[in-house]
Amino acid sequence: MTAGPALPDAAQPVPVRPDLAGVTPYGAPQWDVAVRLNTNETPWPPPQAFLTRLAERVQGLHLHRYPDRRAWQLRTALAKRFGLPPERVWAANGSNEILLQLFQAYGGPDRRLLLVRPGYSAHPLLARVAATPVVTAELDDDFLLSASAAAAFVADHDPALVCVANPNNPTGMTLPLPAVRALHDHSRALVIVDEAYVEFGGESAVALLDELPRLVVCRTFSKAWRLAGLRLGYLLCHDWVVDDLRKVRLPYHLDALTQMAGLVAVELADEVTGHVAALSRERDRLHDALAALDGVTVWPSSANFLLFRTAVPDLFDRLLSRGVLVRDFSTQPRLQGCLRVTVGRPDEDDAFLAAMKESL
Ligand SMILES: *Cc1c(COP(=O)(O)O)cnc(C)c1O
């Protein structure tokens, strides 16, 4: 028996891929505080009817078998809502997984992804995991994007991919559809519109799908569908996109429980999303209450959260010490002094407003 060569430093950890060396893992704090308004979930749990029906359906699942790889029942149910064939709908573990799959399928080291700033922090992170270089285009001073600016961005950078959240996060503002169209028509790119919040307001690009051959629209069950504890998102697209995503998805990527839960949610869509109108009204109430505070600038929002700016440098900590957790953007480029608050239950929002008044 011959021993292998002595390893120089057997206890050394394996270095991570060099292009991931500086990465900070994604993650808003999950702290146990009284009022958690930092991750844009819906404050009310899904209705009892959903849990009851799901519990019944779980009885019939064959968990000793792999799940349906195509998630056909779920995709068919989703497709029906949009008048599309199921071949044009894809589903995965949250819209973040779908975005990663899109970047894996269409990105890579030799292809650029165009993102806007301020934008969603997970987009550049997913791009990095998919080894896809990012070019960043700045939104204007009001955090808006005009059609002419959109056309110039893609003309300047010639990206292979464009990804914008609409309504945008963390600003809450809508990117008008002419800007989406300009991103498409002045580029060769796959244009991804991330509509995580569209049920709360704004303008959906779904109506443009048939007109714009390289447009895809990504949706999630994590926000308006109040199922963030599930991991489920879906994509509306052309059928060739689904063919390509099947090349990068993991075998049996979407488990049987998630598929079933999604199907039951779609069956009970009216009940599951029944709170959306009230939540949008609550958002408008919270907006006006914030706007009425001295020293607070708040942006208009079409989503279930509000971005606001103050001159109090430690406002995040002051709110936290009063049991209110919001999202801190105050040291980020373009967002100096900004915090983002998720619209919660009226009592949670009142607690936030009271903490604001004490902290300012
Ligand atoms: C919350 C959010 C999502 C949701 O991601 P999931 O993986 O579906 O939970 C997607 N995009 C944006 C912009 C978001 O803010």
Side-chain angles (χ1 to χ4, degrees):
M1 240 179 73
T2 54
L7 293 171
D9 225 338
Q12 276 302 305
V14 176
V16 73
R17 240 168 60 194
D19 56 318
L20 295 180
V23 167
T24 313
Y26 178 85
Q30 291 189 306
W31 295 329
D32 191 15
V33 299
V35 180
R36 253 171 64 174
L37 301 176
N38 72 332
T39 42
N40 298 345
E41 297 118 319
T42 290
W44 295 285
Q48 188 56 45
F50 167 80
L51 294 172
T52 303
R53 188 176 297 189
L54 179 58
E56 283 164 21
R57 296 287 180 82
V58 165
Q59 303 299 319
L61 288 179
H62 300 289
L63 289 176
H64 59 301
R65 298 289 187 192
Y66 281 115
D68 173 15
R69 216 172 11 227
R70 301 177 311 158
W72 196 249
Q73 267 193 299
L74 173 62
R75 286 167 59 204
T76 301
L78 285 166
K80 212 175 268 170
R81 292 178 62 80
F82 296 93
L84 292 172
E87 288 84 358
R88 294 185 56 187
V89 178
W90 178 248
N93 296 281
S95 49
N96 274 270
E97 184 175 66
I98 293 180
L99 294 171
L100 178 62
Q101 291 170 338
L102 287 167
F103 297 171
Q104 288 174 321
Y106 299 106
D110 303 322
R111 296 175 173 202
R112 282 183 296 278
L113 162 65
L114 184 113
L115 300 175
V116 298
R117 188 161 69 181
Y120 179 42
S121 60
H123 289 161
L125 185 71
L126 295 168
R128 204 140 164 199
V129 172
T132 303
V134 169
V135 287
T136 305
E138 299 289 341
L139 297 177
D140 71 16
D141 291 342
D142 298 319
F143 298 153
L144 293 173
L145 178 64
S146 67
S148 57
F153 287 160
V154 288
D156 286 351
H157 297 290
D158 189 24
L161 291 149
V162 176
C163 183
V164 289
N166 196 20
N168 196 10
N169 178 9
T171 66
M173 315 249 306
T174 296
L175 306 179
L177 292 187
V180 173
R181 185 188 289 274
L183 291 170
H184 180 278
D185 289 352
H186 294 267
S187 77
R188 303 180 286 178
L190 185 81
V191 175
I192 305 164
V193 182
D194 177 352
E195 294 190 340
Y197 300 98
V198 78
E199 294 90 347
F200 298 109
E203 297 176 80
S204 174
V206 168
L208 301 179
L209 270 177
D210 282 330
E211 249 178 285
L212 307 184
R214 286 171 282 103
L215 176 71
V216 301
V217 177
C218 195
R219 299 274 187 101
T220 181
F221 280 70
S222 300
K223 308 288 162 57
W225 289 80
R226 41 179 162 166
L227 291 169
L230 212 64
R231 300 297 297 132
L232 184 60
Y234 61 100
L235 186 76
L236 308 171
C237 58
H238 291 272
D239 48 9
W240 52 268
V241 176
V242 169
D243 293 340
D244 290 332
L245 293 183
R246 290 172 57 221
K247 298 168 186 165
V248 298
R249 61 119 168 82
L250 293 173
Y252 309 106
H253 71 289
L254 195 61
D255 70 78
L257 285 167
T258 302
Q259 291 187 33
M260 183 52 77
L263 184 65
V264 170
V266 173
E267 288 172 5
L268 299 175
D270 291 346
E271 285 106 308
V272 175
T273 63
H275 62 285
V276 166
L279 201 100
S280 301
R281 282 194 301 275
E282 175 66 5
R283 170 197 63 216
D284 296 341
R285 176 184 84 92
L286 188 59
H287 173 277
D288 294 350
L290 269 177
L293 297 178
D294 265 346
V296 177
T297 306
V298 56
W299 277 265
S301 170
S302 306
N304 68 337
F305 56 82
L306 294 160
L307 184 75
F308 62 96
R309 174 176 274 155
T310 74
V312 181
D314 61 344
L315 182 59
F316 175 82
D317 294 320
R318 294 189 194 192
L319 294 173
L320 188 59
S321 72
R322 290 168 173 82
V324 178
L325 179 60
V326 298
R327 190 68 172 265
D328 188 8
F329 289 94
S330 59
T331 58
Q332 300 219 354
R334 311 252 353 240
L335 296 172
Q336 288 84 358
C338 288
L339 302 179
R340 189 195 69 194
V341 61
T342 305
V343 180
R345 300 187 312 257
D347 63 298
E348 294 175 310
D349 298 338
D350 287 341
F352 160 72
L353 288 168
M356 281 290 289
K357 286 175 192 157
E358 290 170 21
S359 304
L360 286 169

